[in-house]
PDB file of all heavy atoms in Angstrom:
ATOM      1  N   VAL B  28      23.088  22.315 -21.777  1.00 94.00           N
ATOM      2  CA  VAL B  28      23.407  20.929 -21.433  1.00 94.00           C
ATOM      3  C   VAL B  28      23.877  20.790 -19.985  1.00 94.00           C
ATOM      4  O   VAL B  28      23.521  19.838 -19.287  1.00 94.00           O
ATOM      5  CB  VAL B  28      24.472  20.369 -22.412  1.00 94.00           C
ATOM      6  CG1 VAL B  28      25.064  19.054 -21.913  1.00 94.00           C
ATOM      7  CG2 VAL B  28      23.852  20.157 -23.788  1.00 94.00           C
ATOM      8  N   GLU B  29      24.645  21.775 -19.513  1.00 93.00           N
ATOM      9  CA  GLU B  29      25.160  21.691 -18.146  1.00 93.00           C
ATOM     10  C   GLU B  29      24.015  21.759 -17.147  1.00 93.00           C
ATOM     11  O   GLU B  29      23.900  20.942 -16.234  1.00 93.00           O
ATOM     12  CB  GLU B  29      26.144  22.838 -17.911  1.00 93.00           C
ATOM     13  CG  GLU B  29      26.639  22.904 -16.485  1.00 93.00           C
ATOM     14  CD  GLU B  29      27.901  23.741 -16.344  1.00 93.00           C
ATOM     15  OE1 GLU B  29      28.301  24.406 -17.322  1.00 93.00           O
ATOM     16  OE2 GLU B  29      28.493  23.711 -15.253  1.00 93.00           O
ATOM     17  N   LYS B  30      23.136  22.737 -17.356  1.00 95.00           N
ATOM     18  CA  LYS B  30      22.043  22.970 -16.420  1.00 95.00           C
ATOM     19  C   LYS B  30      21.018  21.833 -16.452  1.00 95.00           C
ATOM     20  O   LYS B  30      20.620  21.289 -15.421  1.00 95.00           O
ATOM     21  CB  LYS B  30      21.358  24.285 -16.803  1.00 95.00           C
ATOM     22  CG  LYS B  30      20.589  24.941 -15.702  1.00 95.00           C
ATOM     23  CD  LYS B  30      20.215  26.364 -16.098  1.00 95.00           C
ATOM     24  CE  LYS B  30      18.790  26.629 -15.599  1.00 95.00           C
ATOM     25  NZ  LYS B  30      18.273  27.918 -15.993  1.00 95.00           N
ATOM     26  N   VAL B  31      20.632  21.462 -17.666  1.00 97.00           N
ATOM     27  CA  VAL B  31      19.595  20.430 -17.814  1.00 97.00           C
ATOM     28  C   VAL B  31      20.119  19.077 -17.343  1.00 97.00           C
ATOM     29  O   VAL B  31      19.407  18.294 -16.706  1.00 97.00           O
ATOM     30  CB  VAL B  31      19.099  20.363 -19.271  1.00 97.00           C
ATOM     31  CG1 VAL B  31      18.234  19.137 -19.512  1.00 97.00           C
ATOM     32  CG2 VAL B  31      18.316  21.621 -19.597  1.00 97.00           C
ATOM     33  N   GLY B  32      21.426  18.827 -17.619  1.00 97.00           N
ATOM     34  CA  GLY B  32      22.029  17.565 -17.177  1.00 97.00           C
ATOM     35  C   GLY B  32      22.009  17.442 -15.661  1.00 97.00           C
ATOM     36  O   GLY B  32      21.602  16.427 -15.099  1.00 97.00           O
ATOM     37  N   GLY B  33      22.447  18.526 -15.002  1.00 97.00           N
ATOM     38  CA  GLY B  33      22.474  18.529 -13.540  1.00 97.00           C
ATOM     39  C   GLY B  33      21.080  18.378 -12.969  1.00 97.00           C
ATOM     40  O   GLY B  33      20.856  17.660 -11.990  1.00 97.00           O
ATOM     41  N   GLU B  34      20.109  19.041 -13.598  1.00 98.00           N
ATOM     42  CA  GLU B  34      18.742  18.979 -13.085  1.00 98.00           C
ATOM     43  C   GLU B  34      18.126  17.596 -13.279  1.00 98.00           C
ATOM     44  O   GLU B  34      17.451  17.076 -12.385  1.00 98.00           O
ATOM     45  CB  GLU B  34      17.881  20.039 -13.767  1.00 98.00           C
ATOM     46  CG  GLU B  34      16.551  20.091 -13.088  1.00 98.00           C
ATOM     47  CD  GLU B  34      15.774  21.339 -13.305  1.00 98.00           C
ATOM     48  OE1 GLU B  34      16.308  22.298 -13.889  1.00 98.00           O
ATOM     49  OE2 GLU B  34      14.613  21.324 -12.873  1.00 98.00           O
ATOM     50  N   ALA B  35      18.374  16.999 -14.451  1.00 98.00           N
ATOM     51  CA  ALA B  35      17.789  15.680 -14.715  1.00 98.00           C
ATOM     52  C   ALA B  35      18.369  14.638 -13.761  1.00 98.00           C
ATOM     53  O   ALA B  35      17.639  13.838 -13.157  1.00 98.00           O
ATOM     54  CB  ALA B  35      18.029  15.271 -16.165  1.00 98.00           C
ATOM     55  N   LEU B  36      19.701  14.661 -13.613  1.00 97.00           N
ATOM     56  CA  LEU B  36      20.325  13.677 -12.725  1.00 97.00           C
ATOM     57  C   LEU B  36      19.875  13.915 -11.278  1.00 97.00           C
ATOM     58  O   LEU B  36      19.543  12.976 -10.551  1.00 97.00           O
ATOM     59  CB  LEU B  36      21.855  13.740 -12.824  1.00 97.00           C
ATOM     60  CG  LEU B  36      22.586  12.668 -12.006  1.00 97.00           C
ATOM     61  CD1 LEU B  36      22.245  11.259 -12.494  1.00 97.00           C
ATOM     62  CD2 LEU B  36      24.094  12.874 -12.043  1.00 97.00           C
ATOM     63  N   GLY B  37      19.833  15.190 -10.880  1.00 98.00           N
ATOM     64  CA  GLY B  37      19.383  15.519  -9.526  1.00 98.00           C
ATOM     65  C   GLY B  37      17.976  15.015  -9.261  1.00 98.00           C
ATOM     66  O   GLY B  37      17.695  14.395  -8.226  1.00 98.00           O
ATOM     67  N   ARG B  38      17.084  15.271 -10.198  1.00 98.00           N
ATOM     68  CA  ARG B  38      15.686  14.821 -10.010  1.00 98.00           C
ATOM     69  C   ARG B  38      15.595  13.300  -9.953  1.00 98.00           C
ATOM     70  O   ARG B  38      14.790  12.740  -9.215  1.00 98.00           O
ATOM     71  CB  ARG B  38      14.786  15.358 -11.117  1.00 98.00           C
ATOM     72  CG  ARG B  38      14.435  16.825 -10.896  1.00 98.00           C
ATOM     73  CD  ARG B  38      13.538  17.375 -11.979  1.00 98.00           C
ATOM     74  NE  ARG B  38      13.320  18.793 -11.803  1.00 98.00           N
ATOM     75  CZ  ARG B  38      12.159  19.351 -11.404  1.00 98.00           C
ATOM     76  NH1 ARG B  38      11.121  18.595 -11.140  1.00 98.00           N
ATOM     77  NH2 ARG B  38      12.055  20.662 -11.272  1.00 98.00           N
TER      78      ARG B  38
END
Side-chain angles (χ1 to χ4, degrees):
Chain B
V28 167
E29 175 163 9
K30 202 168 140 184
V31 169
E34 188 160 352
L36 184 63
R38 283 180 185 251

